[in-house]
Amino acid sequence: MKIIMDERGKKYFLNEDKEFHSDLGIIDEEQMSKANIGDTLTTHLEHDFKVIKPNINDFIDLMDRRCSILVQKDIGSVLAHTGLGSSSKVVDAGTGAGAIALNFANVVGSEGMVYSYEIREDFSIIANKNIETFGLKNIIIKNKDIKEGIDEENIDLIFLDLPKPYEIFEDVYESLNFGGWLAVYAPYIDQAELAYKVAKKLNFQNIDIIETFERGLEVRPQGTRPKTRMVGHTGYLVFARKL
Amino acid sequence: MKIIMDERGKKYFLNEDKEFHSDLGIIDEEQMSKANIGDTLTTHLEHDFKVIKPNINDFIDLMDRRCSILVQKDIGSVLAHTGLGSSSKVVDAGTGAGAIALNFANVVGSEGMVYSYEIREDFSIIANKNIETFGLKNIIIKNKDIKEGIDEENIDLIFLDLPKPYEIFEDVYESLNFGGWLAVYAPYIDQAELAYKVAKKLNFQNIDIIETFERGLEVRPQGTRPKTRMVGHTGYLVFARKL
Amino acid sequence: MKIIMDERGKKYFLNEDKEFHSDLGIIDEEQMSKANIGDTLTTHLEHDFKVIKPNINDFIDLMDRRCSILVQKDIGSVLAHTGLGSSSKVVDAGTGAGAIALNFANVVGSEGMVYSYEIREDFSIIANKNIETFGLKNIIIKNKDIKEGIDEENIDLIFLDLPKPYEIFEDVYESLNFGGWLAVYAPYIDQAELAYKVAKKLNFQNIDIIETFERGLEVRPQGTRPKTRMVGHTGYLVFARKL
Amino acid sequence: MKIIMDERGKKYFLNEDKEFHSDLGIIDEEQMSKANIGDTLTTHLEHDFKVIKPNINDFIDLMDRRCSILVQKDIGSVLAHTGLGSSSKVVDAGTGAGAIALNFANVVGSEGMVYSYEIREDFSIIANKNIETFGLKNIIIKNKDIKEGIDEENIDLIFLDLPKPYEIFEDVYESLNFGGWLAVYAPYIDQAELAYKVAKKLNFQNIDIIETFERGLEVRPQGTRPKTRMVGHTGYLVFARKL
């Protein structure tokens, strides 16, 4: 998959088989079909578009999203804390538009696999379409309530973004590898607290609740200073390990 | 690679060819050689050791480390912000004991590659030993000053943890893919500011300086509260993209 | 001075000599003239207004403000860090609409005094009017450039909210008591850094640069969680003491 | 009251009637009795001590403290948020060694008054001794359980640092002025949450739970950077106003 970006930084999927139309003009099919990373394509109105190698974030920015998605600071925490890597096996629920599943699939690669549970049919259809567009073969969307059971075994990471995640921690424990991680995203303190307590009772180890903050620094002619705008809270992350 | 963990949570590499000795007793070679993930091994003093599937963090905890390593919140930021994934190509400098190179290699997998530059010979020897122990084939440690030039091309991520990273941003630009990211770890404000300015001058796009904070929440019988201890600062991360 | 508040929480100055008009109706002069703290006044449209004892924050909310004012977290830091109290003598610059001078005057009381320097005549007129309205006798607004000299001596706190505060630190040192504090509000890192260095050179003691963050916790039917909205940065506070 | 400070920054109360002894030598009674702010006194071993004007923080640092005291960031929040000032009337509980009562008394001045409730006799004795030493006439320590009733009326601020502060919110409401503030210090989330809910039920207005963070910036020869050490949590502050 490739992406083209106009002079304003706006990005579009590159469809090699079709003429491209935008408010900055038309790029003909020939240019589109031969486009390589780094090339500059030109519209009939003399506007330039660059061909860039997209990463997972570009794709998620462009894809069909109908529900809120995890912010990067939280995705980063999950990846770093659980040591997710190539060839890992992941279960997540709920899928939503598939963003977090795509993030995981991007990391576990062709030797790994992501099983993503989504109770709503409409979301699972959107997610499936998104995955197909990105061309990933290592995600399976399951239109199914994860509370009815987790079908997979020897999983390295189970990630839950559900209202009452702790209701299925027994199943989670069964499905994890020795050494595997449970990670829960919990906007409310109460959820995080209950997740902690249930995980403890079920003998999970290395249980931690964390929250992360991210602040930008801005460099201006008058001087450098932290940014005024900052997000105060997204959610807590609860981590627990089967050991 | 496997790891065994004693009843206190202490971890050890599992060497399948050898009797295991510890203060909790001896595990015989036969048990060691047949150990599978999830098994319990027993010492002659009746102490139990569990066989667990290690992840990259377990390995980095156990490996030979002679220099400070990036904390998880910062590794997570780099992974999430740059969208690093399977089959990506990464350059990093300086290697140190190899921790960050191992983190990257864990994510890019067998179809990706990490080229890690380290000016000090002693560090590059330690790093090579660590990589060999973990059994990764996708890292090349280069005992070379990255300021003399970056040999690789079409790189997806160049990560620099150097005192004056901005001195090589022209080379970095040349070596990156269109769409590739530069990421700099900078403990001091001045470094981050200069990195920002030089990146801007060289026409990098999407330049951002961020810092992240991580705080734990503790669940105790008396109640739940944020943890008193918190790290105030590690370093800034400067991101810039070739577009 | 008294304040009345309508059913929506909107506040107004209470003028005892006049009929009160608002979109919720009219309160006659007799009610206005006899109003005591805690009374309820009623308009001809049957709307209730409560008479409340205003504090300095109510007043600053209602007064004529033409320029940005320090937020409470920063005012609190200055008050707590310098131990400002009854009968202290304070110098501040620049006055602006007088908000910080009012805050200081509120604390130092009738036995203390605040000398507030403002280079712009228009601001000093607004500030004087505000002080008169609030009825404080312990503030003197000086329409004068503080860079031409500080007239006062034996001062307990000198607070500077100026672009280049460090240019007058020698004068500040002369005007302070032994034990007196210099406090500087600096939005930019560079300002704070230079203030620190100049203060150090001039032999100020207990020099510190701090920043504070404030985050709310929200209690909702679905649960309790930190607020999403949070201010990332206002300014640094540089403290230095003459010892 | 005056304070003397040695060359190492260590502070001592100045007792004008007595020879002063320390490990840096003796200062004779004559020097002590004539000491003015800014003077330098000299020991028989030729060490210098400076006479400084103490503020409330100096005093609290030197006084007899047997229990933990509020940190400056939290005291500052209470002062700024409630607009406490000269001539205000304050109630606080529990007194402890009297630190917060001293802070309030320092601000409300000779025209204001602080009533401080402490259930433990030993603490109330220490607090009384501390107040006497500092020479404040505007604090009354009451060795009494505040849960048995608040004797005072028309109070501007009631500050509670108790395990279950919400148990007395009805009484608090009765004792406050219209416009007066309740402020609660709560280390645990649960305490803050319950305080919020009870205050809401009792028709308090402007109810807010906040927490503050403070981080230092350090200026070193190698560069400027935020400090590594930072306190993650002290307590939440719950504010509610009678309106």
Side-chain angles (χ1 to χ4, degrees), chain D residues 2-5 11-14 50-52 54 58 62:
Chain D
K2 290 170 198 141
I3 276 181
I4 55 175
M5 188 183 70
K11 296 169 201 159
Y12 311 81
F13 289 126
L14 178 151
K50 253 187 204 143
V51 183
I52 62 172
D58 295 314
L62 285 178

Side-chain angles (χ1 to χ4, degrees), chain D residues 182-203:
Chain D
L182 161 64
V184 167
Y185 178 76
Y188 293 98
I189 290 167
D190 197 52
Q191 288 174 305
E193 202 178 335
L194 260 168
Y196 184 97
K197 286 177 177 171
V198 174
K200 194 155 193 90
K201 209 171 154 189
L202 293 174
N203 207 27

Side-chain angles (χ1 to χ4, degrees), chain C residues 99-112:
Chain C
I100 192 73
L102 280 160
N103 276 291
F104 291 145
N106 179 53
V107 164
V108 303
S110 58
E111 297 163 53

